[in-house]
Amino acid sequence: MFNSHNFDVLGSTLASTLRRWRGTMGSRKTAQPEKAPELFDREGCPHCRLVREALTELNLDAMIYPVPQGGVRHGQRLQELSGGDAVPFLYDPNTNEKIAGAQAIITYLFRQYRAKQPPAALRESFINLMGSRLATLVRGGKGLKAAPSNAPKKPLALYSFESSPFSRLVRERLCELEIPYLLVNLSKQQLADLGPAAQRLHLGEYKPLPGSKREAFLKEHGRVQAPFLVDPNRGEGAGLFESAEILKYLNAAYAA
């Protein structure tokens, strides 16, 4: 039986389809830097989406500071770093680089962490932005505007990848509630990773790439599934898998 959450998942799936499922497959080579780059982001922003797709395809983790419309929680730090309030904006504590604008950020990330130019499909072109704007449109403005909330003492952690329809629902709510979080990208890296967690395209036992974040996740949790939320502030919030349960938890714990 369909409920509002099921329809939300369908809308999120359509958004990923409009982006042709960019932000699904990730690099096998990118190593995590010592410190996570910091991205000031708005989940529903078409330009920000291109940056998050690049992060997934680089398999690069990032500290996300949500800056929804009407939000105030992270505006001062963004102002101090950038001199303005525009998103996306990236600060890389590993190099002390401060970069504004999607195209400049994407170019920097690929140059710094893959030593190559970004693929054309991730560039801030008219066609890419049109597809990203359509994805925002079908989501009905979710992940754009701030909602009253209580700030956590410590950032949360979300295991996700950009095109995941279920993960998007969680990221939208985290943005609306202005909750900072470490985005851990569980990019798909091989054919065996494709498909839902219980129906992947492989025969026999599922085996992630050796040494990958997916392998470490499987060893710790017994399965690889996104989204997965960890909240160090509240023991009962740690280890939540299902998007509906995560949303219920976030609303109970942080919505004012």
Side-chain angles (χ1 to χ4, degrees):
M1 182 176 180
F2 265 63
N3 55 32
S4 60
H5 184 73
N6 296 135
F7 280 110
D8 223 11
V9 171
L10 283 176
S12 187
T13 302
L14 177 56
S16 293
T17 303
L18 288 167
R19 284 302 298 139
R20 292 182 287 183
W21 296 90
R22 297 302 312 196
T24 300
M25 303 301 295
S27 169
R28 297 184 176 204
K29 300 179 181 179
T30 306
Q32 301 301 315
E34 181 181 354
K35 300 176 182 178
E38 300 176 13
L39 178 65
F40 292 82
D41 172 73
R42 184 174 300 140
E43 176 65 29
C45 165
H47 299 268
C48 294
R49 181 176 290 107
L50 301 183
V51 176
R52 296 194 308 272
E53 289 173 351
L55 287 170
T56 291
E57 298 194 18
L58 287 168
N59 210 0
L60 187 65
D61 301 341
M63 189 66 213
I64 304 294
Y65 291 99
V67 187
Q69 297 168 0
V72 296
R73 192 165 295 155
H74 307 298
Q76 182 176 350
R77 177 164 168 76
L78 175 59
Q79 179 72 36
E80 291 171 353
L81 287 170
S82 71
D85 59 3
V87 293
F89 180 83
L90 183 86
Y91 169 61
D92 190 342
N94 302 285
T95 61
N96 205 35
E97 290 285 343
K98 302 171 184 177
I99 308 127
Q103 186 61 65
I105 293 171
I106 293 168
T107 300
Y108 167 79
L109 290 172
F110 271 84
R111 186 182 70 243
Q112 181 67 27
Y113 294 109
R114 277 296 302 278
K116 62 181 291 186
Q117 291 296 314
L122 288 178
R123 292 172 188 164
E124 202 174 22
S125 65
F126 173 81
I127 292 176
N128 282 338
L129 279 175
M130 180 62 69
S132 191
R133 289 189 177 105
L134 287 173
T136 295
L137 183 64
V138 300
R139 292 304 299 138
K142 292 190 176 182
L144 284 175
K145 296 182 180 180
S149 66
N150 302 306
K153 292 183 178 180
K154 298 177 183 178
L156 281 58
L158 179 67
Y159 293 75
S160 169
F161 58 92
E162 178 59 28
S163 70
S164 165
F166 297 95
S167 297
R168 179 180 289 109
L169 306 185
V170 176
R171 295 195 311 264
E172 288 171 346
R173 194 57 178 154
L174 287 168
C175 183
E176 292 167 350
L177 297 174
E178 299 183 82
I179 297 176
Y181 62 97
L182 176 66
L183 173 64
V184 182
N185 270 300
L186 288 178
S187 310
K188 297 179 186 289
Q189 298 172 288
Q190 56 177 346
L191 285 177
D193 296 337
L194 295 178
Q199 299 172 328
R200 292 198 176 94
L201 302 179
H202 65 87
L203 297 175
E205 182 183 0
Y206 170 59
K207 295 181 180 180
L209 289 182
S212 66
K213 285 183 283 184
R214 281 181 162 255
E215 182 186 55
F217 193 94
L218 179 63
K219 288 179 179 178
E220 183 173 358
H221 303 290
R223 55 175 162 159
V224 181
Q225 180 178 324
F228 180 73
L229 182 80
V230 176
D231 186 351
N233 302 283
R234 302 168 186 260
E236 69 270 22
L240 290 174
F241 271 107
E242 300 297 335
S243 57
E245 292 302 313
I246 295 174
L247 292 171
K248 181 179 178 180
Y249 170 75
L250 290 174
N251 288 328
Y254 295 110

